[in-house]
């Protein structure tokens, strides 16, 4: 059993901390935000993530997981320290690593014996060197440490599963000793023969950006294919399905939609693009993926505008789904934000509903009319825009939907409704890359 401290209790820190304690280690999650730690100490989880509450409960009850604001003490008592603080987008698209730097200084000051310092936050390539430099500058004489980059690949909404059953664990270690310690932290996965990819620090940092940027690129690609499908009368679902049956392509991340959002892809594509500019090594594909994504969000607003006759004024639109993806309450960079803003700017009104994210969206749009069910949202509206593919929306009765709406007009940006059924029920509709039907 190792003594581990995880600094930062956001998605990555909290899920990793709880997951590592589930592997049998003694984990302290530390954060300077008192309100968050207070909630966690009371047994409440500050984010919505399926399965996280059980994972936390189980390990707190077993005495393996605790929470503290005493970051210095937590560093002193640990063998391995994970840095999992935020790296928001800064100027020029580059990630802002000031929180990582602050943590590095704290670790240096509290370095009482040999420790492994491990970064989980998504950080620009070269950050490992900077962390080591800051630790060396601030540590007491005789301090000893090794550095590891251990990027995380979990997705919001399935973070617990992704952490406990990853495809691989990337360990970019500055020494064999540090690699062995990290492998021991992930022992249950290693025993189950999950690949442990041993690299140097810069390679591990690069793997994270390259993987996220590639997934974003894949989404932008299928979104452009979908748009072309619309122009030539092809169905993108069948195109994506047949493409995905080629093992070299894979069906994953080939779902067209309203453009990717969240706290990772938008930020990480900008960060790798900024890095490529800085290094003078163009990444034209990533620049294009970013442009396509912005255009896709705009394209959705144009589609809705066309569906309602070219003008939002005096129209009330029901927006179903506010989170950037299902099973999360996170609305960061969600396509629904641009959609709502465009409707409001055009003089329209919005009734909005998300099964989990109403409260988060209230911070962006405090004055919208928020509903508590799809029925309440769609009642007496001129059109409905489906922005997130929650199961609740897949199961909507089209008969009932038509009955309660002022006019049966639907924009399905996630392609979750059957176009045959929409036609049968007499809806006017549009989607992404499939047959549309409306009076233009
Ligand atoms: C993403 C990566 O998938 C994780 O591997 C990574 O660890 C994480 O970023 C991170 O860097 O922390 P996440 O942003 O939580 O995870 O969610 P995704 O499931 O990747 O979805 C991102 C966006 O892409 C969503 O808006 C989603 O709707 C969209 N998307 C995804 C599509 O439009 N089509 C797809 O086929 C897949």
């Amino acid at each position: 059993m190792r003594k581990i401290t995880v600094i930062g209790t956001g998605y990555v820190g909290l899920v990793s901390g709880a997951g590592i304690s589930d592997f049998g280690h003694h984990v302290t999650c530390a954060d300077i935000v008192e309100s968050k730690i207070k909630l966690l100490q009371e047994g409440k989880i500050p984010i919505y993530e399926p399965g996280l509450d059980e994972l936390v409960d189980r390990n707190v009850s077993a005495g393996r997981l605790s929470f503290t604001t005493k970051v210095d003490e937590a560093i002193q008592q640990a063998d391995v320290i994970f840095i999992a603080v935020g790296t928001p987008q800064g100027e020029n698209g580059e990630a802002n690593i000031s929180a990582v730097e602050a943590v590095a200084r704290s670790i240096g000051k509290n370095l009482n014996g040999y420790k492994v310092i491990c970064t989980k936050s998504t950080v620009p390539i070269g950050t490992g060197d900077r962390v080591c430099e800051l630790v060396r500058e601030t540590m007491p004489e005789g301090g000893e440490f090794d550095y590891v980059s251990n990027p995380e690949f979990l997705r919001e909404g399935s973070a617990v599963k992704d952490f406990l059953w990853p495809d691989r664990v990337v360990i970019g270690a500055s020494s064999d000793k540090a690699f062995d310690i990290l492998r021991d932290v992930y022992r249950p996965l290693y025993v189950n023969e999950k690949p442990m990819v041993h690299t140097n620090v810069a390679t591990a940092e690069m793997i994270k950006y390259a993987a996220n940027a590639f997934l974003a690129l894949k989404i932008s690609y299928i979104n452009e294919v979908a748009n072309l499908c619309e122009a030539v009368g092809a169905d993108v679902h069948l195109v994506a399905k047949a493409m995905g049956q080629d093992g070299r392509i894979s069906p994953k991340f080939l779902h067209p939609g309203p453009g990717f959002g969240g706290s990772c892809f938008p930020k990480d594509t900008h960060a790798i693009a900024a890095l490529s500019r800085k290094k003078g090594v163009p990444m034209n594909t990533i620049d294009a993926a970013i442009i396509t994504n912005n255009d896709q969000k705009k394209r959705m607003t144009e589609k809705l505008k066309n569906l309602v006759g070219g003008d939002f004024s005096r129209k009330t639109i029901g927006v179903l789904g506010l989170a950037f993806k299902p099973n999360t309450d996170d609305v960061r960079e969600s396509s629904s934000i641009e959609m709502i803003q465009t409707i409001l700017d055009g003089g329209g009104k919005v009734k909005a509903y998300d099964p989990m994210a109403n409260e988060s969206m209230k911070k962006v749009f405090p004055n919208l009319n928020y509903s508590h069910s799809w029925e309440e949202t769609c009642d007496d509206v001129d059109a409905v825009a489906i922005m997130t593919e929650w199961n609740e929306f897949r199961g909507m009765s089209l008969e009932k939907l038509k009955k309660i709406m002022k006019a049966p007009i639907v924009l399905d940006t996630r392609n979750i409704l059957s176009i045959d059924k929409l036609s049968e029920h007499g809806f006017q509709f549009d989607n992404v890359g499939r047959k549309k039907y409306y009076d233009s």
Side-chain angles (χ1 to χ4, degrees):
M1 190 201 75
R2 302 234 168 225
K3 280 182 278 169
I4 313 261
T5 285
V6 180
I7 305 178
T9 53
Y11 266 98
V12 170
L14 195 51
V15 174
S16 306
I20 293 170
S21 66
D22 211 50
F23 294 157
H25 303 288
H26 192 281
V27 178
T28 305
C29 289
D31 202 305
I32 51 171
V33 181
E34 286 184 15
S35 54
K36 258 196 198 176
I37 293 297
K38 189 163 179 282
L39 276 180
L40 287 162
Q41 285 170 338
E42 287 166 359
K44 295 176 193 143
I45 308 291
I47 48 172
Y48 172 72
E49 186 60 43
L52 184 57
D53 43 0
E54 288 104 291
L55 188 72
V56 169
D57 271 4
R58 183 164 71 236
N59 288 288
V60 168
S61 306
R64 285 190 296 261
L65 179 62
S66 60
F67 304 97
T68 185
T69 50
K70 294 178 181 150
V71 179
D72 291 351
E73 262 174 42
I75 294 168
Q76 288 161 21
Q77 72 193 22
D79 309 323
V80 182
I81 300 147
F82 284 93
I83 304 176
V85 292
T87 51
Q89 193 172 314
E91 276 168 36
N92 312 326
E94 283 180 47
N96 175 343
I97 60 160
S98 56
V100 173
E101 291 177 324
V103 171
R105 288 190 191 95
S106 300
I107 296 173
K109 279 184 213 146
N110 291 286
L111 203 72
N112 55 343
Y114 174 80
K115 295 180 196 295
V116 174
I117 302 168
C118 178
T119 299
K120 265 212 175 290
S121 308
T122 301
V123 290
I125 294 109
T127 301
D129 292 341
R130 176 78 182 132
V131 169
C132 293
E133 183 183 297
L134 289 169
V135 173
R136 268 187 219 108
E137 268 173 34
T138 47
M139 71 186 188
E141 191 118 341
E144 230 196 309
F145 72 95
D146 275 314
Y147 182 80
V148 174
S149 163
N150 172 221
E152 191 43 62
F153 300 98
L154 54 82
R155 290 162 297 174
E156 289 184 24
S158 54
V160 170
K161 183 178 143 289
D162 290 344
F163 189 86
L164 298 178
W165 292 278
D167 292 330
R168 76 305 203 188
V169 177
V170 174
I171 302 175
S174 64
S175 74
D176 287 346
K177 181 177 170 186
F179 175 77
D180 289 344
I181 291 173
L182 256 285
R183 193 171 54 183
D184 190 45
V185 169
Y186 289 106
R187 197 175 149 70
L189 303 179
Y190 172 63
V191 170
N192 278 329
E193 298 189 352
K194 288 285 175 202
M196 300 272 143
V197 185
H198 185 180
T199 68
N200 65 20
V201 172
T203 304
E205 291 171 343
M206 188 67 200
I207 289 170
K208 172 66 189 187
Y209 274 118
N212 266 9
F214 180 73
L215 292 171
L217 181 61
K218 210 173 167 188
I219 297 168
S220 275
Y221 178 74
I222 199 65
N223 282 340
E224 287 199 322
V225 169
N227 300 341
L228 193 54
C229 281
E230 290 173 9
V232 300
D235 185 321
V236 72
H237 272 207
L238 298 175
V239 172
K241 191 172 169 194
M243 279 173 67
Q245 279 159 348
D246 184 330
R248 294 171 301 175
I249 296 174
S250 132
K252 292 181 183 164
F253 281 70
L254 269 192
H255 303 285
F260 56 76
S263 64
C264 304
F265 289 170
K267 174 167 74 80
D268 294 349
T269 44
H270 277 102
I272 196 169
L275 178 75
S276 78
R277 279 192 295 275
K278 195 167 159 186
K279 298 287 175 193
V281 183
M283 285 200 74
N284 298 326
T285 48
I286 302 306
D287 291 337
I290 294 169
I291 293 169
T292 299
N293 199 52
N294 293 338
D295 289 352
Q296 190 70 1
K297 291 184 178 183
K298 205 173 175 41
R299 190 175 168 92
M300 296 303 113
T301 65
E302 289 300 318
K303 276 177 180 280
L304 183 64
K305 202 178 198 183
N306 291 338
L307 273 169
V308 297
D311 186 6
F312 286 126
S313 64
R314 291 179 305 280
K315 298 279 178 357
T316 303
I317 311 293
V319 175
L320 292 179
L322 306 173
F324 79 98
K325 61 183 278 190
N327 297 321
T328 178
D329 58 356
D330 195 340
V331 300
R332 283 176 286 179
E333 302 284 333
S334 174
S335 303
S336 59
I337 295 177
E338 176 146 356
M339 179 61 85
I340 292 169
Q341 191 62 59
T342 308
I343 298 166
L344 297 177
D345 290 346
K349 286 192 181 135
V350 172
K351 287 173 82 180
Y353 168 61
D354 189 282
M356 287 308 306
N358 278 4
E359 290 309 311
S360 315
M361 197 55 113
K362 279 181 192 168
K363 292 180 192 135
V364 185
F365 295 109
N367 301 321
L368 288 187
N369 179 351
Y370 289 92
S371 311
H372 299 93
S373 66
W374 68 262
E375 289 96 332
E376 196 191 327
T377 319
C378 301
D379 186 41
D380 209 29
V381 293
D382 294 284
V384 162
I386 299 173
M387 301 304 297
T388 319
E389 67 276 36
W390 286 95
N391 278 340
E392 190 175 324
F393 305 147
R394 289 180 205 275
M396 287 189 303
S397 153
L398 293 184
E399 204 176 334
K400 185 163 186 191
L401 181 62
K402 185 174 179 188
K403 214 176 271 170
I404 60 180
M405 290 177 72
K406 200 183 281 173
I409 298 177
V410 172
L411 172 64
D412 179 8
T413 71
R414 297 288 184 170
N415 293 353
I416 57 173
L417 300 180
S418 151
I419 43 184
D420 291 341
K421 292 218 170 94
L422 284 166
S423 299
E424 269 167 36
H425 284 88
F427 276 87
Q428 300 200 36
F429 58 88
D430 198 355
N431 46 47
V432 185
R434 311 191 78 193
K435 196 173 87 182
K436 65 181 175 192
Y437 171 75
Y438 63 91
D439 308 325
S440 45

